[in-house]
Amino acid sequence: MYSKALVDDIRSQAMYIDYSGVIPEGLLQWLYEEKLFKLFIPEALGGRMLDLPAALRVFQSVAEMEGNLGWLTAIGSGGGMFIPNIERSLAEQLFKDEKAVIAGSGYPNGSARKIDGGYIVSGEWKYCSGSPFASFYTANSRTEEGEVRSFIFMPHQVEIIEDWNALGLRGTGSHTIRVRNALISDEYTFQLDVSQNEYAGPVHSFAFLPFSQASFMAVCLGITKHFYQEARQIVKRRMKSDDKRFHSVDQLLAEQEAIFQQKVDTFYTEIEELWNLHINENTLSETAINRFSTICKADLQQVIQEVDTLMRYLGMEAIMETSSLNKIWRDLHTASQHAFITPL
C-alpha cells in the first residue's frame, strides 16, 4: 500500500519512537495529511469514510510499517465512530480541522453532577492513546442518577498524567487524563445510542464489540507481519555467515509464515462476511458476533505462541532492547494485551 522509500523512512525512526516515547512531528504531520485519523469521517468534513474491511487493511498496513503508528491510526480513527452522536454544528466544528483527533476512554469513571445547562465533571481515565496531540478528548462518566454519559473535554480542561510505561507501543502516549471540576455544557455531552445528525454511515452502526476486536486484530496482524520480515533478515544473515543451525530455523520460519498468512486470509474472509451481513440485514446476531470473537481470540493466541516459539531460535539479538526485532515483539505483546482480544 505504501512505497518502499516511505516504509524505510518510517522504520528508520522506529527506535527513536521507542526510546523517546514521542511521535516525531514529521510523522505526525504525515498521519494528518493521509487522513489516517479520519477514516470514518465523512468527506464533507475532510475525512475518507471507508467501509470497515477497507479501513482494517489500512490499520494493518500502517502497523506493518511501525506498530505505534498502526495503533494510533486505529484508535484515532475509532474516535470518528462518535460523529453521528454529537450535535451537528459542534461535530462540524470539532472534526473539520485537518488535525482533528480524539483521545479518551470508554470506561465509565469519575463523577458528573448536573447543573443548569450542563454538568460539573471530575475524574481520571487511563490508557488514553494519542493524548499528547489530541485536539479534544472524550470520556464516560456516571451522573448522579446512575446514567452513563459521554463528555467532550477541550485541551485546556485536561491534565495529562504521563504514566504510560508499558513493555511496548511506547510512542502511543497512552497516558492517564485527569479532569477537575470541568464545566461541560449540555452541547458537549452525548450518548452512543442517540443520533444527532445526518453524518452516520454504515460503519457507525456496526456492532461495537466486533468493530473493536477487528481493529485491534488488524493492528496485531500488521505488527506480526513486520516481525516475520525482520526475522527473515536475521535468518538470512546467519545462513550467509555459514551458521548451519539456521537452516532448520529457516524451515521453521517458512512454516510459520504460511500458517500466519492463512490466519490473515481467514480474518478478512470472516470480517467481509460479517460486514455483508451488517449491510444486508442492518443487524448482527449474537451467534455471529460470538463466532467472530472466538475466531479472533483463538487465531491471535496461536499467532503469538508461534512468534514466541521463533524468538527462542533467534539468538541473543532477540533479547536486546536495541534490536528492531525486540521492539516489534514488545509492540505485538502490548497491542495484543487489550481485554477485547485476550484469551478470556
Side-chain angles (χ1 to χ4, degrees):
M1 182 177 292
Y2 298 106
S3 70
K4 184 178 184 302
L6 176 64
V7 173
D8 290 345
D9 179 50
I10 287 176
R11 288 182 176 177
S12 72
Q13 301 177 68
M15 296 311 294
Y16 170 80
I17 294 172
D18 191 56
Y19 295 148
S20 68
V22 173
I23 303 299
E25 187 59 34
L27 290 186
L28 196 55
Q29 186 61 39
W30 175 76
L31 291 168
Y32 294 136
E33 291 173 356
E34 291 292 311
K35 302 181 180 180
L36 291 175
F37 298 136
K38 290 191 168 190
L39 301 185
F40 304 127
I41 301 298
E43 293 181 7
L45 299 184
R48 292 169 60 175
M49 201 59 162
L50 300 183
D51 64 27
L52 181 58
L56 294 175
R57 293 186 183 277
V58 175
F59 295 169
Q60 180 183 337
S61 183
V62 177
E64 181 183 338
M65 288 195 288
E66 205 288 311
N68 290 276
L69 299 188
W71 182 265
L72 288 170
T73 295
I75 295 295
S77 288
M81 295 293 282
F82 303 147
I83 195 167
N85 311 112
I86 301 172
E87 193 275 328
R88 176 177 173 170
S89 62
L90 179 59
E92 292 172 348
Q93 174 187 328
L94 293 173
F95 285 98
K96 270 190 174 179
D97 190 323
E98 179 194 43
K99 297 182 178 181
V101 58
I102 299 174
S105 170
Y107 186 80
N109 202 18
S111 62
R113 179 168 57 88
K114 188 73 177 79
I115 59 172
D116 288 343
Y119 295 82
I120 301 294
V121 182
S122 295
E124 292 184 6
W125 293 267
K126 297 177 71 67
Y127 312 132
C128 299
S129 299
S131 59
F133 54 83
S135 58
F136 62 103
Y137 303 80
T138 62
N140 291 341
S141 189
R142 290 192 182 276
T143 67
E144 293 173 315
E145 293 76 26
E147 174 190 58
V148 175
R149 293 192 69 86
S150 300
F151 295 89
I152 297 170
F153 307 118
M154 301 311 292
H156 71 274
Q157 297 173 305
V158 173
E159 175 189 358
I160 298 173
I161 304 171
E162 296 186 353
D163 57 358
W164 177 245
N165 57 355
L167 179 74
L169 296 181
R170 293 173 173 173
T172 59
S174 302
H175 303 304
T176 295
I177 64 170
R178 175 187 291 155
V179 172
R180 292 176 171 171
N181 297 318
L183 174 58
I184 308 299
S185 66
D186 287 330
E187 181 188 14
Y188 282 72
T189 75
F190 61 94
Q191 292 178 292
L192 296 179
D193 57 350
V194 178
S195 183
Q196 296 196 52
N197 61 57
E198 72 279 16
Y199 288 125
V203 71
H204 296 107
S205 57
F206 194 81
F208 175 73
L209 179 61
F211 171 86
S212 300
Q213 290 176 323
S215 298
F216 299 141
M217 184 74 173
V219 172
C220 289
L221 293 177
I223 297 173
T224 302
K225 190 168 183 179
H226 188 190
F227 177 88
Y228 281 127
Q229 292 167 354
E230 192 67 25
R232 172 63 61 191
Q233 294 304 311
I234 292 174
V235 171
K236 282 183 178 179
R237 288 199 302 269
R238 297 298 290 270
M239 291 177 67
K240 192 174 181 179
S241 67
D242 203 29
D243 190 334
K244 293 182 173 53
R245 298 172 301 170
F246 271 75
H247 288 280
S248 61
V249 181
D250 181 54
Q251 182 178 351
L252 174 63
L253 176 56
E255 292 170 354
Q256 287 195 1
E257 287 175 314
I259 294 171
F260 171 69
Q261 188 58 51
Q262 291 175 357
K263 300 298 184 188
V264 173
D265 294 342
T266 296
F267 171 70
Y268 284 106
T269 297
E270 293 293 331
I271 197 62
E272 289 280 1
E273 182 177 329
L274 213 57
W275 179 252
N276 289 333
L277 281 173
H278 170 67
I279 293 297
N280 295 327
E281 302 180 15
N282 201 32
T283 186
L284 295 176
S285 69
E286 186 175 348
T287 300
I289 291 174
N290 288 340
R291 180 176 183 275
F292 180 74
S293 177
T294 299
I295 290 172
C296 280
K297 291 184 176 186
D299 283 2
L300 184 56
Q301 181 73 356
Q302 184 177 350
V303 165
I304 291 171
Q305 288 172 346
E306 291 181 349
V307 162
D308 287 351
T309 295
L310 186 62
M311 282 284 284
R312 294 279 291 145
Y313 289 86
L314 295 176
M316 293 298 291
E317 181 173 355
I319 66 169
M320 304 302 291
E321 285 195 7
T322 53
S323 77
S324 296
L325 184 84
N326 185 278
K327 184 255 183 199
I328 299 163
W329 179 84
R330 288 185 283 108
D331 286 347
L332 175 60
H333 273 270
T334 303
S336 63
Q337 197 68 13
H338 196 286
F340 285 150
I341 49 175
T342 54
L344 292 178

